[in-house]
Amino acid sequence: MEERWPRIVTTRRPNEVAPNLLDDDAARRRFTWARAREGLDGLPGGGWNIAHEAVFRHARTQGKKVAVRWLGRHGERLDITYADLAVRVAKFANALNAMGVGEGERVYALLPRVPELYVAALGTLAHRSVFCPMFSAFGPDPIASRIRIGGGRVLVTTPALYDRKVRPVRAQLESLRDVVLVDESWAAAMDMHAGTYAIGPTPANTPALLHFTSGTTGTPKGALHVHEAVLMHHLTGRYALDLHADDVFWCTADPGWVTGTSYGIIAPLVCGLTMIVDESDFDGDRWYEILSRERVSVWYTAPTAIRMLIKAGMEAAKKRDLSSLRFLASVGEPLNPDAVVWSEQAFGRPFHDNWWQTETGGILIANTAAMEIRPGSMGKALPGVEAAIVRRTAKGVEVIDAPDAEGELAIKKGWPSMFVGYWNEPERYEKCFVGGWYLTGDLAKRDADGYFWFVGRADDVIKSAGHLIGPFEVESALLEHPVVAEAGVIGKPDAVAGNIVKAFVALKPGCKSSTELVDELLGWARKRLGTAVAPKELSIVPSLPRTRSGKVLRRLLRARELGLPEGDLSTLESSK
Ligand code: ATP
Ligand code: MG
């Protein structure tokens, strides 16, 4: 796949700020964690606290600067300065103390993207209890199971969400002692508490965040992260997203997904810039309007959204003044190469793909601003991160050094935002580590220059007639066809081949399904991929099932195709 796409070197505009990472390889060689601490404060008595680095220290030095520009569903626009945010965060932390919440106890949020969500997150971190965000679109069961698993002590939610989703399951939630409602009385309730807060000792390994995985491969796991992760949030904010203090940054992810916390709350504030929070969900027109009106300079989003923008056509982008955009990044799913090329044409800037997981707490592999982009590649390991392609053996793991060899992506243990446990599942956690490596469960290749190429999740890889086929490659080939908007590929058991490749495809608006089109798409894929890899079967469907974080649920496509039980559907995008 790699050879067919031109490499992209972004030309910088005159007067454009220099990238934080000027020379990738040199930075990698020079890197030390001691140096990575520069630009952060640390607590006076030692240790790190995320809320201190994100809010309190900036409140002193740049209190008047806008930290959060909140855009409400109905056109509201609210600016919260660093000084104002610090007061709100302090009040919330004091409120937790007043409720008798102890250090390390879990504070859950079930909120739309309203300012109080951000205040609750940072207030919980200042207080040193553990913050656990949930998507407000979750139904009662996923809410109850997450609160039960993590033993949630406090829940912050709205009266309407409480009535619809929590009340029916409240009796099952024995650990839940306090429900804090975001309603008209919120401001008065918060005003009862002091607007300053002295953060207590926060050793580096103090638990900070409990994040549930997306549930793409099965039941979501609760990954626990510590305050020291802020080192990684800061480093990756600067290096992988190229954040500068003057940027207007927009991460479109909801904090219910780890991206929306690490990069929709922590990293941008730690970098001291102005971040956009949009309460609404995806809407192409609204998004272009926000990018252009708010003069967004760095934009972090996901392939599903990018594909929806592509589906809507380039004209919609060309109509707008998007000249403020300097750096575009994507995460969560493989970013197909034609989307990178499309964005270069539509915005004059390519999307920079990067890779990480809930478990890794922050970006580990990225196309930084200093790099030549190879469309279809996730980029290189960031400074301070050692990534390798490995094979599991009877004795442990073996590192595969040969370029372009396929294997499991592994990360050398010990980066600061590494998860410290799956909540209540110590054995599952232990199994992720072998011989000093964290095994990611993703298959990838590394080329001779150190660029990583995603192959697929180990669970999704298809064994067909002696070949190992990664769904991503097949999906990418289908997505290059002008009528295809979305594609999902699975293995379907077959008596002769072991498995055959089966594709599901959703079409762009105005395109009609027909048996001729199915044949054409199958032929298109055969021409690009060869008969061994191309799908043997293809169904045109109205849309593909996705998680709330926007990932194609291949396990559900497979279960439905084979008439098997559908498994955990709590994270399905459309389930209410
Ligand atoms: P679960 O672990 O519950 O199955 P999940 O793995 O989808 O859910 P996340 O932690 O949100 O939950 O997603 C991480 C995964 O997303 C990675 O392991 C990888 O499979 C995929 N991913 C993330 N970024 C990229 C990328 N740039 N390219 C390809 N895949 C990516
Ligand atoms: Mg996972």
Side-chain angles (χ1 to χ4, degrees), residues 326-381:
R326 185 185 86 246
F327 191 83
L328 280 51
S330 163
V331 72
E333 278 200 305
L335 183 63
N336 36 296
D338 67 320
V340 179
V341 173
W342 184 90
S343 65
E344 166 83 347
Q345 286 161 5
F347 308 116
R349 303 269 127 164
F351 268 103
H352 295 70
D353 191 16
N354 56 54
W355 176 95
W356 59 293
Q357 308 178 309
T358 308
E359 290 87 342
T360 72
I363 302 168
L364 299 188
I365 293 177
N367 286 282
T368 66
M371 280 166 62
E372 167 192 86
I373 294 185
R374 303 184 179 177
S377 162
M378 318 190 280
K380 299 192 205 177

Tab-separated table of all heavy atoms in Angstrom, residues 326-381:
chain	number	residue	atom	x	y	z
A	326	ARG	N	-3.275	25.056	11.255
A	326	ARG	CA	-1.852	24.826	11.044
A	326	ARG	C	-1.511	23.341	11.137
A	326	ARG	O	-0.688	22.843	10.405
A	326	ARG	CB	-1.060	25.596	12.096
A	326	ARG	CG	0.451	25.527	11.880
A	326	ARG	CD	1.232	26.194	13.004
A	326	ARG	NE	1.463	25.254	14.089
A	326	ARG	CZ	0.943	25.356	15.293
A	326	ARG	NH1	0.160	26.374	15.603
A	326	ARG	NH2	1.202	24.453	16.204
A	327	PHE	N	-2.169	22.634	12.063
A	327	PHE	CA	-1.795	21.248	12.300
A	327	PHE	C	-3.052	20.418	12.545
A	327	PHE	O	-3.897	20.768	13.365
A	327	PHE	CB	-0.861	21.166	13.515
A	327	PHE	CG	-0.208	19.821	13.674
A	327	PHE	CD1	0.936	19.507	12.958
A	327	PHE	CD2	-0.736	18.867	14.533
A	327	PHE	CE1	1.540	18.264	13.091
A	327	PHE	CE2	-0.142	17.621	14.675
A	327	PHE	CZ	1.006	17.325	13.957
A	328	LEU	N	-3.162	19.317	11.806
A	328	LEU	CA	-4.345	18.449	11.882
A	328	LEU	C	-3.895	17.063	12.321
A	328	LEU	O	-2.930	16.532	11.752
A	328	LEU	CB	-4.982	18.312	10.493
A	328	LEU	CG	-5.894	19.408	9.947
A	328	LEU	CD1	-5.260	20.769	10.033
A	328	LEU	CD2	-6.261	19.092	8.499
A	329	ALA	N	-4.584	16.486	13.297
A	329	ALA	CA	-4.177	15.164	13.750
A	329	ALA	C	-5.394	14.270	13.923
A	329	ALA	O	-6.514	14.746	14.114
A	329	ALA	CB	-3.407	15.265	15.058
A	330	SER	N	-5.129	12.972	13.826
A	330	SER	CA	-6.214	11.989	13.867
A	330	SER	C	-5.794	10.798	14.704
A	330	SER	O	-4.624	10.426	14.724
A	330	SER	CB	-6.501	11.542	12.429
A	330	SER	OG	-7.247	10.335	12.413
A	331	VAL	N	-6.770	10.198	15.370
A	331	VAL	CA	-6.484	9.003	16.178
A	331	VAL	C	-7.707	8.122	16.317
A	331	VAL	O	-8.833	8.581	16.106
A	331	VAL	CB	-6.015	9.393	17.601
A	331	VAL	CG1	-7.142	9.945	18.443
A	331	VAL	CG2	-5.372	8.198	18.313
A	332	GLY	N	-7.487	6.877	16.680
A	332	GLY	CA	-8.583	6.006	17.109
A	332	GLY	C	-8.797	4.814	16.220
A	332	GLY	O	-9.192	3.746	16.677
A	333	GLU	N	-8.583	5.020	14.943
A	333	GLU	CA	-8.738	3.964	13.969
A	333	GLU	C	-7.703	4.225	12.901
A	333	GLU	O	-7.192	5.336	12.791
A	333	GLU	CB	-10.108	4.084	13.302
A	333	GLU	CG	-11.239	3.488	14.059
A	333	GLU	CD	-12.399	3.249	13.087
A	333	GLU	OE1	-12.824	4.212	12.423
A	333	GLU	OE2	-12.831	2.105	12.978
A	334	PRO	N	-7.435	3.222	12.089
A	334	PRO	CA	-6.508	3.497	10.999
A	334	PRO	C	-7.025	4.614	10.106
A	334	PRO	O	-8.218	4.688	9.812
A	334	PRO	CB	-6.434	2.176	10.240
A	334	PRO	CG	-7.430	1.260	10.836
A	334	PRO	CD	-7.891	1.831	12.119
A	335	LEU	N	-6.120	5.491	9.743
A	335	LEU	CA	-6.484	6.600	8.850
A	335	LEU	C	-6.049	6.190	7.450
A	335	LEU	O	-4.852	6.076	7.178
A	335	LEU	CB	-5.761	7.867	9.291
A	335	LEU	CG	-6.098	9.121	8.495
A	335	LEU	CD1	-7.572	9.487	8.647
A	335	LEU	CD2	-5.228	10.293	8.958
A	336	ASN	N	-7.021	5.961	6.590
A	336	ASN	CA	-6.662	5.465	5.265
A	336	ASN	C	-5.921	6.544	4.476
A	336	ASN	O	-6.207	7.735	4.616
A	336	ASN	CB	-7.878	4.925	4.510
A	336	ASN	CG	-9.108	5.712	4.794
A	336	ASN	OD1	-9.578	5.734	5.931
A	336	ASN	ND2	-9.596	6.403	3.794
A	337	PRO	N	-4.943	6.108	3.662
A	337	PRO	CA	-4.068	7.078	2.994
A	337	PRO	C	-4.825	8.094	2.153
A	337	PRO	O	-4.430	9.258	2.092
A	337	PRO	CB	-3.162	6.209	2.115
A	337	PRO	CG	-3.576	4.807	2.297
A	337	PRO	CD	-4.553	4.717	3.407
A	338	ASP	N	-5.919	7.690	1.523
A	338	ASP	CA	-6.586	8.681	0.676
A	338	ASP	C	-7.210	9.808	1.507
A	338	ASP	O	-7.385	10.921	1.024
A	338	ASP	CB	-7.590	8.040	-0.296
A	338	ASP	CG	-8.764	7.433	0.420
A	338	ASP	OD1	-8.537	6.822	1.479
A	338	ASP	OD2	-9.899	7.577	-0.053
A	339	ALA	N	-7.498	9.534	2.785
A	339	ALA	CA	-8.014	10.604	3.655
A	339	ALA	C	-6.917	11.627	3.947
A	339	ALA	O	-7.190	12.825	4.083
A	339	ALA	CB	-8.550	10.022	4.955
A	340	VAL	N	-5.688	11.154	4.033
A	340	VAL	CA	-4.564	12.078	4.273
A	340	VAL	C	-4.386	12.972	3.051
A	340	VAL	O	-4.248	14.193	3.156
A	340	VAL	CB	-3.258	11.284	4.545
A	340	VAL	CG1	-2.088	12.235	4.757
A	340	VAL	CG2	-3.432	10.372	5.755
A	341	VAL	N	-4.439	12.345	1.886
A	341	VAL	CA	-4.260	13.094	0.642
A	341	VAL	C	-5.433	14.066	0.443
A	341	VAL	O	-5.254	15.223	0.065
A	341	VAL	CB	-4.124	12.106	-0.540
A	341	VAL	CG1	-4.112	12.840	-1.859
A	341	VAL	CG2	-2.840	11.279	-0.372
A	342	TRP	N	-6.644	13.596	0.757
A	342	TRP	CA	-7.831	14.454	0.639
A	342	TRP	C	-7.682	15.702	1.509
A	342	TRP	O	-7.962	16.812	1.074
A	342	TRP	CB	-9.078	13.659	1.052
A	342	TRP	CG	-10.368	14.413	0.872
A	342	TRP	CD1	-11.156	14.432	-0.239
A	342	TRP	CD2	-11.030	15.259	1.844
A	342	TRP	NE1	-12.262	15.232	-0.028
A	342	TRP	CE2	-12.207	15.754	1.235
A	342	TRP	CE3	-10.739	15.642	3.153
A	342	TRP	CZ2	-13.095	16.595	1.906
A	342	TRP	CZ3	-11.622	16.496	3.818
A	342	TRP	CH2	-12.788	16.965	3.190
A	343	SER	N	-7.231	15.489	2.751
A	343	SER	CA	-7.155	16.637	3.670
A	343	SER	C	-6.109	17.636	3.200
A	343	SER	O	-6.279	18.845	3.361
A	343	SER	CB	-6.880	16.182	5.095
A	343	SER	OG	-5.609	15.590	5.198
A	344	GLU	N	-5.055	17.127	2.616
A	344	GLU	CA	-4.029	18.024	2.069
A	344	GLU	C	-4.653	18.910	0.979
A	344	GLU	O	-4.382	20.106	0.894
A	344	GLU	CB	-2.875	17.161	1.522
A	344	GLU	CG	-1.885	17.865	0.628
A	344	GLU	CD	-0.807	18.622	1.394
A	344	GLU	OE1	-0.981	18.801	2.605
A	344	GLU	OE2	0.165	19.046	0.767
A	345	GLN	N	-5.536	18.306	0.187
A	345	GLN	CA	-6.186	19.084	-0.879
A	345	GLN	C	-7.262	20.019	-0.312
A	345	GLN	O	-7.388	21.166	-0.715
A	345	GLN	CB	-6.824	18.149	-1.907
A	345	GLN	CG	-5.773	17.485	-2.788
A	345	GLN	CD	-6.302	16.232	-3.485
A	345	GLN	OE1	-7.484	15.911	-3.380
A	345	GLN	NE2	-5.427	15.532	-4.175
A	346	ALA	N	-8.026	19.506	0.646
A	346	ALA	CA	-9.162	20.286	1.161
A	346	ALA	C	-8.717	21.436	2.056
A	346	ALA	O	-9.285	22.524	2.003
A	346	ALA	CB	-10.115	19.371	1.925
A	347	PHE	N	-7.710	21.190	2.901
A	347	PHE	CA	-7.311	22.190	3.906
A	347	PHE	C	-5.920	22.763	3.652
A	347	PHE	O	-5.456	23.622	4.390
A	347	PHE	CB	-7.313	21.566	5.309
A	347	PHE	CG	-8.592	20.866	5.668
A	347	PHE	CD1	-8.618	19.498	5.907
A	347	PHE	CD2	-9.788	21.571	5.762
A	347	PHE	CE1	-9.800	18.843	6.234
A	347	PHE	CE2	-10.970	20.929	6.093
A	347	PHE	CZ	-10.978	19.562	6.327
A	348	GLY	N	-5.230	22.208	2.662
A	348	GLY	CA	-3.840	22.618	2.458
A	348	GLY	C	-2.932	22.080	3.540
A	348	GLY	O	-1.783	22.484	3.683
A	349	ARG	N	-3.445	21.170	4.338
A	349	ARG	CA	-2.698	20.548	5.430
A	349	ARG	C	-3.084	19.084	5.507
A	349	ARG	O	-4.284	18.774	5.457
A	349	ARG	CB	-3.073	21.178	6.786
A	349	ARG	CG	-2.886	22.652	6.877
A	349	ARG	CD	-1.517	22.984	7.394
A	349	ARG	NE	-0.836	23.896	6.500
A	349	ARG	CZ	0.249	24.590	6.840
A	349	ARG	NH1	0.750	24.469	8.038
A	349	ARG	NH2	0.835	25.362	5.977
A	350	PRO	N	-2.138	18.203	5.644
A	350	PRO	CA	-2.499	16.794	5.751
A	350	PRO	C	-2.882	16.427	7.185
A	350	PRO	O	-2.405	17.074	8.127
A	350	PRO	CB	-1.194	16.082	5.392
A	350	PRO	CG	-0.131	17.033	5.845
A	350	PRO	CD	-0.686	18.428	5.687
A	351	PHE	N	-3.699	15.428	7.377
A	351	PHE	CA	-3.903	14.894	8.729
A	351	PHE	C	-2.670	14.104	9.149
A	351	PHE	O	-2.110	13.346	8.354
A	351	PHE	CB	-5.143	13.995	8.788
A	351	PHE	CG	-6.364	14.763	9.177
A	351	PHE	CD1	-7.298	15.136	8.229
A	351	PHE	CD2	-6.553	15.148	10.490
A	351	PHE	CE1	-8.420	15.883	8.595
A	351	PHE	CE2	-7.666	15.890	10.870
A	351	PHE	CZ	-8.592	16.254	9.916
A	352	HIS	N	-2.264	14.324	10.393
A	352	HIS	CA	-1.147	13.567	10.965
A	352	HIS	C	-1.750	12.465	11.830
A	352	HIS	O	-2.350	12.754	12.870
A	352	HIS	CB	-0.281	14.477	11.836
A	352	HIS	CG	0.405	15.574	11.073
A	352	HIS	ND1	-0.273	16.630	10.524
A	352	HIS	CD2	1.706	15.749	10.756
A	352	HIS	CE1	0.598	17.420	9.903
A	352	HIS	NE2	1.793	16.901	10.024
A	353	ASP	N	-1.587	11.239	11.397
A	353	ASP	CA	-2.131	10.130	12.175
A	353	ASP	C	-1.265	9.899	13.405
A	353	ASP	O	-0.053	10.092	13.353
A	353	ASP	CB	-2.127	8.865	11.287
A	353	ASP	CG	-2.905	7.723	11.904
A	353	ASP	OD1	-3.693	7.971	12.851
A	353	ASP	OD2	-2.750	6.573	11.446
A	354	ASN	N	-1.899	9.512	14.495
A	354	ASN	CA	-1.098	9.028	15.618
A	354	ASN	C	-1.802	7.867	16.303
A	354	ASN	O	-2.992	7.643	16.097
A	354	ASN	CB	-0.710	10.147	16.586
A	354	ASN	CG	-1.892	10.895	17.131
A	354	ASN	OD1	-2.813	10.308	17.675
A	354	ASN	ND2	-1.871	12.221	16.982
A	355	TRP	N	-1.031	7.138	17.077
A	355	TRP	CA	-1.521	5.882	17.648
A	355	TRP	C	-1.349	5.870	19.157
A	355	TRP	O	-0.302	6.261	19.671
A	355	TRP	CB	-0.753	4.683	17.051
A	355	TRP	CG	-1.161	3.372	17.667
A	355	TRP	CD1	-2.080	2.493	17.191
A	355	TRP	CD2	-0.658	2.800	18.895
A	355	TRP	NE1	-2.189	1.419	18.045
A	355	TRP	CE2	-1.342	1.574	19.092
A	355	TRP	CE3	0.293	3.200	19.843
A	355	TRP	CZ2	-1.091	0.746	20.190
A	355	TRP	CZ3	0.526	2.383	20.951
A	355	TRP	CH2	-0.170	1.174	21.104
A	356	TRP	N	-2.372	5.417	19.823
A	356	TRP	CA	-2.268	5.086	21.252
A	356	TRP	C	-3.518	4.358	21.670
A	356	TRP	O	-4.394	4.079	20.840
A	356	TRP	CB	-2.004	6.327	22.092
A	356	TRP	CG	-3.022	7.443	22.031
A	356	TRP	CD1	-3.306	8.241	20.959
A	356	TRP	CD2	-3.859	7.901	23.095
A	356	TRP	NE1	-4.256	9.167	21.299
A	356	TRP	CE2	-4.613	8.987	22.589
A	356	TRP	CE3	-4.022	7.516	24.433
A	356	TRP	CZ2	-5.541	9.679	23.389
A	356	TRP	CZ3	-4.937	8.202	25.214
A	356	TRP	CH2	-5.687	9.276	24.687
A	357	GLN	N	-3.593	4.017	22.946
A	357	GLN	CA	-4.733	3.257	23.479
A	357	GLN	C	-5.118	3.833	24.846
A	357	GLN	O	-4.315	4.519	25.463
A	357	GLN	CB	-4.332	1.809	23.750
A	357	GLN	CG	-3.683	1.069	22.642
A	357	GLN	CD	-3.312	-0.341	23.087
A	357	GLN	OE1	-2.676	-0.533	24.126
A	357	GLN	NE2	-3.703	-1.332	22.304
A	358	THR	N	-6.297	3.451	25.298
A	358	THR	CA	-6.697	3.823	26.655
A	358	THR	C	-5.578	3.439	27.634
A	358	THR	O	-5.228	4.207	28.530
A	358	THR	CB	-7.992	3.083	27.039
A	358	THR	OG1	-8.958	3.305	26.016
A	358	THR	CG2	-8.533	3.573	28.365
A	359	GLU	N	-5.024	2.259	27.437
A	359	GLU	CA	-4.013	1.743	28.362
A	359	GLU	C	-2.742	2.591	28.366
A	359	GLU	O	-2.032	2.656	29.365
A	359	GLU	CB	-3.641	0.301	27.979
A	359	GLU	CG	-4.730	-0.730	28.242
A	359	GLU	CD	-5.732	-0.872	27.082
A	359	GLU	OE1	-5.808	0.042	26.229
A	359	GLU	OE2	-6.439	-1.901	27.046
A	360	THR	N	-2.420	3.200	27.239
A	360	THR	CA	-1.148	3.938	27.163
A	360	THR	C	-1.286	5.368	27.688
A	360	THR	O	-0.283	6.050	27.860
A	360	THR	CB	-0.582	3.993	25.730
A	360	THR	OG1	-1.384	4.875	24.942
A	360	THR	CG2	-0.540	2.609	25.088
A	361	GLY	N	-2.512	5.816	27.902
A	361	GLY	CA	-2.762	7.119	28.527
A	361	GLY	C	-2.427	8.322	27.666
A	361	GLY	O	-2.914	9.421	27.914
A	362	GLY	N	-1.574	8.149	26.687
A	362	GLY	CA	-1.180	9.258	25.824
A	362	GLY	C	-0.654	8.713	24.514
A	362	GLY	O	-0.434	7.498	24.366
A	363	ILE	N	-0.430	9.625	23.583
A	363	ILE	CA	0.052	9.257	22.249
A	363	ILE	C	1.467	8.669	22.375
A	363	ILE	O	2.305	9.220	23.074
A	363	ILE	CB	0.097	10.512	21.344
A	363	ILE	CG1	-1.295	11.155	21.256
A	363	ILE	CG2	0.649	10.172	19.963
A	363	ILE	CD1	-1.302	12.552	20.622
A	364	LEU	N	1.725	7.573	21.701
A	364	LEU	CA	3.063	6.978	21.740
A	364	LEU	C	3.738	6.985	20.370
A	364	LEU	O	4.956	7.008	20.277
A	364	LEU	CB	3.010	5.535	22.264
A	364	LEU	CG	2.474	5.335	23.678
A	364	LEU	CD1	2.660	3.882	24.113
A	364	LEU	CD2	3.172	6.249	24.675
A	365	ILE	N	2.933	6.880	19.326
A	365	ILE	CA	3.477	6.849	17.968
A	365	ILE	C	2.782	7.948	17.190
A	365	ILE	O	1.556	8.076	17.262
A	365	ILE	CB	3.212	5.473	17.328
A	365	ILE	CG1	4.020	4.407	18.074
A	365	ILE	CG2	3.545	5.477	15.836
A	365	ILE	CD1	3.795	2.995	17.597
A	366	ALA	N	3.554	8.739	16.455
A	366	ALA	CA	2.913	9.884	15.808
A	366	ALA	C	3.677	10.349	14.581
A	366	ALA	O	4.879	10.134	14.457
A	366	ALA	CB	2.813	11.050	16.799
A	367	ASN	N	2.944	11.018	13.713
A	367	ASN	CA	3.533	11.794	12.633
A	367	ASN	C	3.672	13.211	13.180
A	367	ASN	O	2.693	13.946	13.269
A	367	ASN	CB	2.595	11.807	11.420
A	367	ASN	CG	2.581	10.482	10.700
A	367	ASN	OD1	3.496	10.165	9.954
A	367	ASN	ND2	1.553	9.681	10.932
A	368	THR	N	4.856	13.568	13.586
A	368	THR	CA	5.032	14.896	14.177
A	368	THR	C	5.143	15.934	13.057
A	368	THR	O	5.296	15.595	11.882
A	368	THR	CB	6.314	14.959	15.029
A	368	THR	OG1	7.423	14.816	14.150
A	368	THR	CG2	6.346	13.859	16.073
A	369	ALA	N	5.113	17.202	13.480
A	369	ALA	CA	5.185	18.289	12.495
A	369	ALA	C	6.512	18.281	11.749
A	369	ALA	O	6.618	18.811	10.647
A	369	ALA	CB	4.993	19.628	13.201
A	370	ALA	N	7.526	17.689	12.370
A	370	ALA	CA	8.852	17.710	11.740
A	370	ALA	C	9.003	16.623	10.682
A	370	ALA	O	9.973	16.617	9.938
A	370	ALA	CB	9.925	17.525	12.811
A	371	MET	N	8.054	15.722	10.633
A	371	MET	CA	8.247	14.534	9.788
A	371	MET	C	7.624	14.664	8.416
A	371	MET	O	6.586	15.301	8.240
A	371	MET	CB	7.606	13.319	10.469
A	371	MET	CG	8.455	12.718	11.556
A	371	MET	SD	7.491	11.590	12.577
A	371	MET	CE	7.024	10.366	11.371
A	372	GLU	N	8.256	13.980	7.489
A	372	GLU	CA	7.631	13.748	6.193
A	372	GLU	C	6.525	12.711	6.440
A	372	GLU	O	6.745	11.711	7.115
A	372	GLU	CB	8.701	13.173	5.274
A	372	GLU	CG	8.207	12.580	4.000
A	372	GLU	CD	9.315	11.781	3.307
A	372	GLU	OE1	9.489	10.589	3.630
A	372	GLU	OE2	10.001	12.358	2.468
A	373	ILE	N	5.343	12.978	5.909
A	373	ILE	CA	4.237	12.048	6.142
A	373	ILE	C	4.211	10.984	5.063
A	373	ILE	O	4.312	11.292	3.874
A	373	ILE	CB	2.894	12.799	6.138
A	373	ILE	CG1	2.851	13.733	7.338
A	373	ILE	CG2	1.715	11.825	6.203
A	373	ILE	CD1	1.542	14.427	7.494
A	374	ARG	N	4.085	9.750	5.496
A	374	ARG	CA	3.867	8.666	4.547
A	374	ARG	C	2.416	8.232	4.728
A	374	ARG	O	2.092	7.549	5.723
A	374	ARG	CB	4.826	7.508	4.830
A	374	ARG	CG	6.252	7.989	4.781
A	374	ARG	CD	7.290	6.918	4.946
A	374	ARG	NE	8.610	7.574	4.836
A	374	ARG	CZ	9.758	6.963	4.979
A	374	ARG	NH1	9.781	5.664	5.229
A	374	ARG	NH2	10.892	7.623	4.859
A	375	PRO	N	1.540	8.650	3.830
A	375	PRO	CA	0.113	8.391	4.057
A	375	PRO	C	-0.155	6.903	4.310
A	375	PRO	O	0.359	6.049	3.594
A	375	PRO	CB	-0.536	8.864	2.753
A	375	PRO	CG	0.395	9.909	2.232
A	375	PRO	CD	1.772	9.416	2.601
A	376	GLY	N	-0.919	6.621	5.343
A	376	GLY	CA	-1.203	5.236	5.714
A	376	GLY	C	-0.361	4.774	6.890
A	376	GLY	O	-0.649	3.754	7.494
A	377	SER	N	0.674	5.555	7.248
A	377	SER	CA	1.508	5.169	8.393
A	377	SER	C	1.094	5.949	9.631
A	377	SER	O	0.712	7.113	9.549
A	377	SER	CB	2.978	5.443	8.094
A	377	SER	OG	3.720	5.459	9.301
A	378	MET	N	1.222	5.300	10.799
A	378	MET	CA	0.868	5.964	12.068
A	378	MET	C	1.993	6.865	12.547
A	378	MET	O	1.842	7.595	13.519
A	378	MET	CB	0.623	4.928	13.165
A	378	MET	CG	-0.173	3.735	12.718
A	378	MET	SD	-0.692	2.690	14.066
A	378	MET	CE	0.780	1.732	14.403
A	379	GLY	N	3.169	6.778	11.890
A	379	GLY	CA	4.289	7.620	12.285
A	379	GLY	C	5.342	6.838	13.045
A	379	GLY	O	5.382	5.608	12.989
A	380	LYS	N	6.184	7.574	13.756
A	380	LYS	CA	7.278	6.942	14.486
A	380	LYS	C	7.037	7.049	15.991
A	380	LYS	O	6.277	7.915	16.443
A	380	LYS	CB	8.592	7.658	14.172
A	380	LYS	CG	9.006	7.624	12.719
A	380	LYS	CD	10.446	8.106	12.631
A	380	LYS	CE	10.768	8.690	11.275
A	380	LYS	NZ	12.131	9.212	11.224
A	381	ALA	N	7.763	6.214	16.739
A	381	ALA	CA	7.669	6.297	18.198
A	381	ALA	C	8.174	7.667	18.637
A	381	ALA	O	9.156	8.171	18.106
A	381	ALA	CB	8.501	5.199	18.831
